[in-house]
Amino acid sequence: MIKETIVDGFHNAPHRSLYHALGLTDEEQSRPLIGVVCSYNEIVPGHVNLDKIAQAVKLGVAMAGGTPIMFPAICVCDGIAMGHTGMKYSLVTRDLIADSTEAMVRAHGFDGLVMIPNCDKNVPGLLMAAARLNIPTVFVSGGPMLAGRVGGKKRSLSSMFEAVGAYKAGKINEEQLSEFERKVCPTCGSCSGMYTANSMNCLTEVLGMGLKGNGTIPAAYSARIELAKHAGMQVMELVRKNIRPRDIMTAAAIRNAITADMALGCSTNSMLHLPAIANECEVKFDLDEVNAISEKTPNLCHLAPAGPTYMEDLNEAGGVHAVLKELEGLNLLDTSVMTCTGKTMKENLEGIVNLDEEVIRKPENAFGKTGGIAVLKGNLAPDGCVVKRAAVASEMLVHEGPAKVFESEESCIAAIYGGKIVKGDVVVIRYEGPAGGPGMREMLSPTSAIAGMGLDKDVALITDGRFSGATRGASIGHVSPEAANGGIIAYVKDGDIISIDIPNYSIKLNVSDEELAKRKAEMPIKKKEVSGYLKRYAEQVSSADKGAIINK
């Protein structure tokens, strides 16, 4: 406790003098010190409201008898970073966030924490820090953006990226493109579909680290401010009871998160972040278990980009807890797990009702009998690769076609807009993995270009990089081992036939072992010249199937 190590006793008078320099009274110094880790900034739409969330949290902490002290965490906007060098700095910030939060907390001896993230790497980075630090912690996100409206239909950021492809294909004019630009992102908040940020905020509820509504209450709603106050009050209860993140994020809780992921149809990036969080919790994460869970978990939600509903609709339907209630009825969850409410999941689900059976389907009317994500294996990806099955058109669940190979995202986009990608092709983008990128760029631009040009039901895309949660179509990422580490994807050539069978979790390069051995001898592995943090990251990062963690 901070009181014992920093405040009490004559020998801690220098520390107390510095607290007085902050304006902290003797009374404030005598109370538990709660770190309010806030990723507010003025460049990320999901974070511009977090100053208000932080003030509400601080009020809640103070009302419950604690002393709140705020300090920052960083965040990259994946949408703004998309399609250029900036995206190399997205995933890598996850570890910077975890490491810098660890440094601040250990140096200053906080008794408890309230984490205020919102966007893609910010949420898992702070969950990793919470597990590593293991002091009482509650999460409250900034909340999702409200959906935009164009042409009488709800829209989101994925609609904007696809509109660029539609404009290039001559399907919409410049005036229509401008309307999308001005209307698809109408409020602050994390982008309004079931993209990575909202996926991880929803899974924070499932993991037991966020209160009910954390993943779904829109950023623009006053209920979000009330939730923040309750989070501030609740952390004091956890401090009193000494309930810690590793008491909550157990192996059972991680399995619950995978199960809920399948039902919600979350982003494929959850298959990077859940292993990394499990690693910090010292819980084994087996990628092979994902398909076993998927096989028995129905896909109950089709939020954008998979369908026409948005986070605000999920919230009105009862939110994440209503989805969990449906899964509880199928005996697919371990509801004995502890949560940040101080109660078990089973207790939290008492009285929860599904309020909209179109947004959250009943299991007997599910969108699919199996979960939203699938892990494929085969000679092209012996350690696995990942696809958001819930966002794949039925025509593309099984596909075979010739490879069109690109060494970078940029060269692929040029080929798509140049009309060089045709029906039946399997686009391969390599050297974009965790080490090879480095940084494992999200590739919303090429997938959106394919969809915008009307090819999403005819063309597959495979990469050792990753995709935005806003991606739809047969987009298969996280190919492991990656090209930079000598994976088979490094040796694919134009015209090679690739077979994809998502229902049977299979991906195969139809080239003989003898031919592959010959190519390995003739085709050297390419290394990119990078410096600074990216150089260190590339040297230390694990493969995607291990969660792209920094090797200890």
Side-chain angles (χ1 to χ4, degrees), residues 19-20 91 134 139 141 148 173 186 220 235 280 295 299 304 438 493 541:
Y19 282 140
H20 284 298
L91 180 61
N134 203 33
F139 275 67
S141 76
N173 59 33
V235 75
E280 295 291 351
E295 281 295 325
N299 178 217
K493 290 185 175 181
V541 70

Side-chain angles (χ1 to χ4, degrees), residues 39 84 125 166 188 255 264 266 308 320-321 358 361 378 416-417 421 424 438 453 464 481 490 532:
S39 56
H84 58 90
C188 63
R255 284 193 295 274
L264 285 163
C266 291
V320 174
H321 276 56
E358 278 305 306
R361 293 274 184 95
I416 294 169
Y417 286 145
I421 304 302
M453 297 181 79
D464 52 8

Side-chain angles (χ1 to χ4, degrees), residues 491 513-525:
Y491 306 108
D513 292 341
E514 292 77 14
E515 173 62 20
L516 285 174
K518 180 183 176 185
R519 292 183 188 182
K520 287 180 181 180
E522 297 173 348
M523 298 171 65
I525 296 298

